[in-house]
Amino acid sequence: MLIQKPKGTFDILPKEAGQRRHILEKIRKTLSNFNYSEIQTPTFENTSLFKRSIGEETDVVSKEMYSFNDDEFTLRPEMTAPVVRAYLENSMYNESPVQKLFYFSNMYRHERPQAGRYREFSQYGIEVIGSGDFTVDVEVIAVGLQILNDFGIRDIKTKINNIGTQQERALFIDDLKKYLTKYLKVLSIDSRKRFEKNPLRILDSKDPSDNEVLENAPVLYEYLSKETKDFFSNVLDLLKDLRIKFEVDYRLVRGFDYYTSTTFEVISDELGSQNAIFGGGRYDMLVEQLGGKPTPAIGFACGIERLMIVLDKNEYEYPEKEALKLFIVSIGEDAKKFVLKTAIALRKKNFKCETDMLNRSVKSQMKEANRLNAEYVIVIGNEELESNEAKLKRMSDGIEIDVSVDKIYELNYNID
Ligand code: AMP
């Protein structure tokens, strides 16, 4: 029996690999315009890093982590904590008071696989560490939206909220629990489970009966201080100034404990139930929590596979693969060796060419040249080697010119 890939993973075959490379290059360009620099961290970290930052009671830490070596290490399920760890470990605050970082990395979560949800997936994301100014919140959201716009994705919704400080939230959570106690029996099983350990996440529920209960629940916004509310309106006003459309969603809380203040999510109806393309927020306490000085920070992560699903739905046109300039057909043993040497010499000169590797007939080699969309074909056999004369054929119109065999790698391959 053939061994298959693990559930929730996928192979990236050459065509898709090319599409991904295109996506990453395009994203990289925009991030460079915004002056972000790339950071890479190890695929696995000490498990304690994720427990301490994401939070022990979150779905990711409590049931989705790939941990090994007696729980000592964990494949990263997200990148914010590793980036902050690297920021501190490498004293990056000494280089510059504000670090604007981005990454492209694979993440690992033991989730129930479905469309747009995998166990190994890739994200690009940004993290700005060192500024608590509201303009940064706006820039970060603008970066994510600009990138979607670069790909022609416009049919999206930006949801934004402010979940305040831990103190502000604590009061709210008390009241939320008091309120929900009356409805415990009608809440979904998931929400009932969350009631004790992670009640804030109940706000995120998509269950219809939870939603009915939540309609009259206390509203987090009412618990925010004047300072937090002012910060929130500064963010919203600047977004409006920039003509960025958004919806305030007072129930938008995100899955990780490190979030504070601004949270946001960009969703696409084209994605079905896993509809978030990217999401993030402030994490003003995390640097301190991981042993650094108090340092405000904000970031988001965007799923590359989800982005690709939306691109497919939008019939996004990826650039064509670089065309094959020349296919050299060979007839016989001597020609085969000569053709291989010639092809290697041409490639050294940055010239994309191919030869036959299966001792095929001339007819099949011509067919292969056609299949590969070769721009030109040359046929080399004993006759050509002896006379030092061969024909260069342009496949688009069949026009042929005479060329000398020993000059093949000096030609510029332009018949006109
Ligand atoms: P999160 O790290 O959970 O805040 O998610 C940020 C983004 O990563 C989401 O909006 C998705 O685009 C993507 N994402 C999260 N989890 C998965 C997953 N299991 N499979 C594919 N993409 C994911």
Side-chain angles (χ1 to χ4, degrees):
M1 211 176 65
L2 289 178
I3 298 173
Q4 297 189 322
K5 60 186 181 301
K7 204 167 141 188
T9 65
F10 48 84
D11 299 310
I12 300 168
L13 303 184
K15 182 173 170 208
E16 191 185 326
Q19 295 175 340
R20 281 175 181 257
R21 197 168 346 101
H22 164 75
I23 289 175
L24 300 198
E25 274 163 18
K26 212 167 155 106
I27 293 175
R28 212 178 271 281
K29 178 77 188 83
T30 301
L31 292 175
S32 159
N33 290 345
F34 276 91
N35 197 29
Y36 284 75
S37 306
E38 185 165 4
I39 184 163
Q40 297 182 6
T41 62
T43 307
F44 60 94
E45 296 276 351
N46 280 297
T47 302
S48 53
L49 174 67
F50 300 117
K51 286 195 174 161
R52 236 209 274 174
S53 54
I54 301 174
E56 303 242 15
E57 304 302 343
T58 57
D59 285 353
V60 167
V61 171
S62 66
K63 54 186 187 205
E64 295 170 2
M65 297 217 293
Y66 284 100
S67 301
F68 53 99
N69 277 27
D70 288 333
D71 219 22
E72 188 180 357
F73 304 116
T74 294
L75 296 181
R76 59 176 170 229
E78 64 98 53
M79 267 297 270
T80 301
V83 168
V84 171
R85 195 240 344 111
Y87 169 85
L88 289 171
E89 198 167 337
N90 298 286
S91 314
M92 290 175 77
Y93 40 83
N94 285 337
E95 266 167 43
S96 140
V98 181
Q99 286 285 350
K100 294 173 71 173
L101 304 168
F102 77 87
Y103 58 82
F104 288 108
S105 306
N106 283 13
M107 306 299 153
Y108 305 86
R109 294 184 197 169
H110 191 262
E111 296 197 80
R112 194 169 47 78
Q114 63 184 87
R117 191 159 80 183
Y118 314 98
R119 290 181 170 173
E120 179 176 17
F121 59 97
S122 54
Q123 292 182 332
Y124 96 82
I126 65 174
E127 312 290 352
V128 182
I129 308 177
S131 171
D133 198 78
F134 70 90
T135 52
V136 180
D137 303 48
V138 175
E139 177 180 294
V140 163
I141 294 171
V143 171
L145 293 175
Q146 175 66 51
I147 285 172
L148 296 186
N149 194 61
D150 290 343
F151 286 100
I153 300 174
R154 293 192 181 86
D155 202 5
I156 43 158
K157 261 191 215 124
T158 304
K159 289 193 197 172
I160 183 162
N161 191 17
N162 190 305
I163 61 168
T165 62
Q166 209 169 6
Q167 292 80 341
E168 288 162 356
R169 255 186 339 259
L171 281 177
F172 166 73
I173 290 171
D174 275 352
D175 283 358
L176 179 69
K177 281 178 82 173
K178 268 184 218 147
Y179 169 82
L180 290 176
T181 312
K182 294 175 273 178
Y183 301 97
L184 271 182
K185 280 201 186 95
V186 289
L187 287 183
S188 65
I189 298 174
D190 273 350
S191 292
R192 257 180 277 165
K193 275 191 211 149
R194 285 178 172 147
F195 181 80
E196 279 308 330
K197 298 194 161 162
N198 201 0
L200 202 61
R201 283 289 280 173
I202 297 178
L203 296 184
D204 245 5
S205 172
K206 300 209 165 71
D207 182 275
S209 102
D210 288 355
N211 271 310
E212 219 169 279
V213 173
L214 287 167
E215 241 159 55
N216 296 313
V219 177
L220 177 50
Y221 181 78
E222 317 280 341
Y223 293 74
L224 303 180
S225 63
K226 177 166 184 321
E227 201 187 340
T228 304
K229 282 181 177 165
D230 286 348
F231 183 90
F232 193 27
S233 25
N234 281 336
V235 172
L236 301 185
D237 287 346
L238 191 52
L239 285 172
K240 278 183 213 152
D241 236 14
L242 281 162
R243 296 184 196 285
I244 291 177
K245 285 202 192 107
F246 60 85
E247 279 170 24
V248 173
D249 178 353
Y250 292 128
R251 276 172 48 191
L252 177 72
V253 291
R254 297 194 33 84
F256 307 146
D257 284 357
Y258 54 63
Y259 283 118
T260 53
S261 185
T262 307
T263 53
F264 56 90
E265 208 162 80
V266 169
I267 59 170
S268 160
D269 290 336
E270 287 167 315
L271 279 172
S273 71
Q274 300 303 311
N275 62 0
I277 310 182
F278 72 85
R282 282 208 158 268
Y283 47 93
D284 289 340
M285 305 307 291
L286 184 59
V287 177
E288 198 179 344
Q289 216 181 318
L290 292 177
K293 294 204 181 100
T295 309
I298 179 168
F300 71 75
C302 174
I304 299 295
E305 291 75 25
R306 293 207 194 156
L307 178 61
M308 291 184 83
I309 295 173
V310 178
L311 290 182
D312 279 352
K313 295 248 158 94
N314 282 273
E315 296 179 7
Y316 179 76
E317 284 188 30
Y318 290 95
E320 297 274 332
K321 197 177 152 193
E322 192 199 339
L324 187 69
K325 196 82 183 165
L326 174 71
F327 190 98
I328 318 177
V329 173
S330 62
I331 316 168
E333 282 300 298
D334 290 345
K336 184 168 81 178
K337 289 182 214 156
F338 173 81
V339 160
L340 181 80
K341 280 194 282 181
T342 308
I344 289 175
L346 280 168
R347 289 157 179 164
K348 238 187 227 165
K349 293 172 77 173
N350 239 339
F351 194 95
K352 188 166 171 177
C353 58
E354 188 54 291
T355 64
D356 173 52
M357 283 172 285
L358 292 170
N359 296 309
R360 280 177 281 198
S361 68
V362 174
K363 199 172 155 203
S364 320
Q365 290 188 50
M366 291 302 286
K367 238 188 183 168
E368 181 67 358
N370 262 323
R371 192 185 70 81
L372 294 173
N373 250 331
E375 206 178 331
Y376 293 96
V377 168
I378 293 183
V379 180
I380 307 280
N382 281 339
E383 214 174 285
E384 283 77 10
L385 288 179
E386 270 159 33
S387 64
N388 195 28
E389 271 174 21
K391 296 222 179 299
L392 175 71
K393 180 175 177 179
R394 184 161 66 188
M395 298 300 273
S396 57
D397 52 14
I399 290 182
E400 288 184 336
I401 56 163
D402 292 325
V403 294
S404 8
V405 173
D406 58 5
K407 297 257 159 49
I408 291 179
Y409 26 77
E410 288 168 27
L411 294 175
N412 67 3
Y413 295 86
N414 258 331
I415 282 185
D416 297 323

